[in-house]
């Protein structure tokens, strides 16, 4: 494949105004993918509303063209504006599903500004979205099989389940083991302002530990845009941590908790955080969400359904360092085998398969 292709990258979250924008998992993945695309010699244009510009400029290579849009509304109107001024590109990457992007995608194809497209589907798509993109033979990469299913049913030419961590090399175990008498550090990581991340469940379980066990443990909740006040001894609340701080933070931990729950819709569709913890060699205690259980199907951690089971898991891992090491080693093996993102493969299979 000849270098120097031009790529338009449409991400719906970057086309909506946020009062307190933070780079979450999907946007961080976008930034890392753009970095890799440009390292491969391609030129990328990223439309975004102005509130996102400072955060993205510090994450993206200097050669990335940011198409700044004054915020006139939601992703539908801003997406149309981006499409109108996009110019001609060799390929379109659609960073997530969203009905608001449909008018922009239709305009881009109708005016031949793009000739091919790939969708990275991080959420369940509405029937309207699935139907609208079918005529353009968009290649689909979904983060799990449930998200992929409607596209397969609709007869899309290529629908795969394939996802991972683009910067996996940054996540590795601590070089030295902690002293035997050091506190056992449990952590919950993510944008914990979102109730479905389950920080309240972790707090409740920690508070229910026997006093003697809780006295030698700590629970780290990282992190919050708007940190709450928690007075329970042993619980530490973190204001928002930048992505660059997460690898070092995880290497100070002993166990990762992923107590996510669904709220009428599938909230946890992949969980980059659990993979980051696995790559760091942390044993995992996760809720019984399908996308979490599949990552621990050969070991690497414990699954809980009830609060009592979570308390038992905390107590079990708090008292058994050898078990923590064994589960953590298996978690890292699984993550390295299954969940390391390969941008070169994405380019060859989804963007420019015929070149």
């Amino acid at each position: 494949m000849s270098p120097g292709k031009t790529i338009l990258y449409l991400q719906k979250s970057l086309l909506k105004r946020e009062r307190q924008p933070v780079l979450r998992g999907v946007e961080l993945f976008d930034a890392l993918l753009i970095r890799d695309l440009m390292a491969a010699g391609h030129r990328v244009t990223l439309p975004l509303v102005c509130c996102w510009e400072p955060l993205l400029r510090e994450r993206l290579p200097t050669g990335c063209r940011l198409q700044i849009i004054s915020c006139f509304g939601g992703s539908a109107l801003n997406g149309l504006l981006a499409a109108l001024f996009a110019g001609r590109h060799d390929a379109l990457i659609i960073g997530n599903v969203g009905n608001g992007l449909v008018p922009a995608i239709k305009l881009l194809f109708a005016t031949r500004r793009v000739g091919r497209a790939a969708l990275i589907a991080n959420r369940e798509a509405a029937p309207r979205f699935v139907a609208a993109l079918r005529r353009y033979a968009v290649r689909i990469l979904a983060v799990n099989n449930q998200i992929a299913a409607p596209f397969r049913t609709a007869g899309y030419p290529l629908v795969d389940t394939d996802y991972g961590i683009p910067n996996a090399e940054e996540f590795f175990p601590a070089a030295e083991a902690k002293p035997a008498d050091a506190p056992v550090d449990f952590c919950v990581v993510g944008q914990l302002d979102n109730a479905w991340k389950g920080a309240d469940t972790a707090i409740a379980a920690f508070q229910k530990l026997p006093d003697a066990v809780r006295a030698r443990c700590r629970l780290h909740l990282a992190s919050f845009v708007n940190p709450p006040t928690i007075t329970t001894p042993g619980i530490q609340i973190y204001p928002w941590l930048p992505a660059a701080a997460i690898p070092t933070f995880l290497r100070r931990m002993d166990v990762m908790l992923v107590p996510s729950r669904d709220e009428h819709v599938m909230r946890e569709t992949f969980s980059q955080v659990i993979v980051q913890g696995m790559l760091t060699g942390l044993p995992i205690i996760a809720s019984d969400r399908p996308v979490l259980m599949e990552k621990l199907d050969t070991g690497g951690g414990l699954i809980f359904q009830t609060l009592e089971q979570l308390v038992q898991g905390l107590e079990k891992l708090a008292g058994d360092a050898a078990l923590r090491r064994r589960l953590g080693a298996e978690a890292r093996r699984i993550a390295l085998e299954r969940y390391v993102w390969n941008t070169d493969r994405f380019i060859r299979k989804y963007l420019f398969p015929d070149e």
Side-chain angles (χ1 to χ4, degrees):
M1 181 186 67
S2 60
K5 298 292 186 180
T6 56
I7 299 168
L8 179 65
Y9 202 118
L10 278 186
Q11 172 56 266
K12 68 172 185 178
S13 62
L14 302 181
L15 296 170
K16 296 187 293 186
R17 183 177 182 274
E18 297 275 359
R19 290 198 333 176
Q20 292 179 292
V22 294
L23 295 181
R24 297 170 287 264
V26 171
E27 293 85 18
L28 288 168
F29 175 89
D30 294 333
L32 291 166
L33 176 53
I34 290 171
R35 176 203 66 183
D36 289 351
L37 291 168
M38 297 186 66
H42 304 295
R43 300 186 298 278
V44 181
T45 298
L46 178 67
L48 72 166
V49 297
C50 50
C51 65
W52 289 99
E53 181 184 3
L55 291 174
L56 269 299
R57 282 216 183 273
E58 65 186 32
R59 297 287 306 184
L60 293 172
T62 54
C64 180
R65 178 174 176 259
L66 298 184
Q67 182 186 359
I68 311 301
I69 301 169
S70 297
C71 186
F72 291 103
S75 59
L77 179 55
N78 291 325
L80 273 173
L81 289 172
L84 281 169
F85 297 102
R88 177 74 173 85
H89 290 79
D90 295 308
L92 168 67
I93 296 176
I94 307 163
N96 206 345
V97 304
N99 287 341
L101 292 179
V102 170
I105 295 167
K106 287 183 174 181
L107 178 61
L108 287 166
F109 276 98
T111 57
R112 299 186 179 181
R113 286 174 165 86
V114 298
R116 65 180 73 195
L119 165 68
I120 302 174
N122 291 279
R123 296 286 174 197
E124 292 179 284
R128 175 191 164 199
F129 185 88
V130 175
L133 269 64
R134 175 64 184 86
R135 63 181 296 187
Y136 305 118
V138 175
R139 292 170 174 256
I140 309 297
L141 186 154
V143 302
N144 66 50
N145 283 320
Q146 185 173 336
I147 288 173
F151 296 100
R152 290 184 174 130
T153 300
Y156 277 69
L158 176 63
V159 183
D160 279 343
T161 301
D162 186 6
Y163 201 59
I165 302 298
N167 58 334
E169 71 283 354
E170 297 179 15
F171 297 90
F172 52 85
E176 297 181 2
K178 288 183 175 181
D181 59 351
V184 179
D185 290 301
F186 296 88
C187 67
V188 184
V189 179
Q191 188 175 358
L192 303 185
D193 304 80
N194 294 320
W196 59 269
K197 287 291 188 181
D200 55 343
T201 302
I203 292 169
F206 187 81
Q207 291 172 334
K208 287 176 71 70
L209 284 171
D211 291 345
V213 176
R214 190 172 62 251
R216 53 189 174 85
C217 296
R218 295 182 294 206
L219 175 62
H220 303 259
L221 302 176
S223 49
F224 294 84
V225 176
N226 298 295
T229 299
I230 304 291
T231 58
T232 302
I235 297 180
Q236 184 169 350
I237 304 294
Y238 292 76
W240 186 251
L241 293 180
I246 298 301
T248 301
F249 170 84
L250 290 179
R251 283 191 283 275
R252 300 200 309 266
M253 299 296 112
D254 296 299
V255 181
M256 174 177 279
L257 311 183
V258 189
S260 304
R261 55 180 179 261
D262 291 338
E263 298 174 335
H264 308 297
V265 297
M266 181 172 47
R267 291 291 191 181
E268 200 71 86
T269 60
F270 177 78
S271 182
Q272 293 189 37
V273 159
I274 192 174
V275 176
Q276 292 169 350
M278 294 167 72
L279 288 168
T280 310
L282 299 181
I284 309 296
I285 306 178
S287 63
D288 61 344
R289 301 301 87 198
V291 297
L292 304 179
M293 291 193 296
E294 70 183 16
K295 293 176 176 62
L296 304 176
D297 57 357
T298 66
L302 308 174
I303 299 295
F304 74 90
Q305 293 180 317
T306 66
L307 183 63
E308 289 70 25
Q309 289 174 344
L310 176 54
V311 174
Q312 292 167 9
L314 292 172
E315 189 170 0
K316 183 176 184 177
L317 290 186
D320 194 334
L323 178 61
R324 294 199 301 269
R325 288 192 295 271
R326 187 165 67 251
L327 293 177
E330 176 63 7
R332 178 166 168 79
R333 184 195 68 79
I334 295 169
L336 287 171
E337 183 179 288
R338 302 182 190 174
Y339 303 118
V340 175
W341 174 264
N342 187 318
T343 297
D344 288 338
R345 183 176 66 228
F346 172 74
I347 293 170
R348 292 193 307 269
K349 188 171 184 179
Y350 299 95
L351 285 184
F352 306 110
D354 51 351
E355 299 185 24

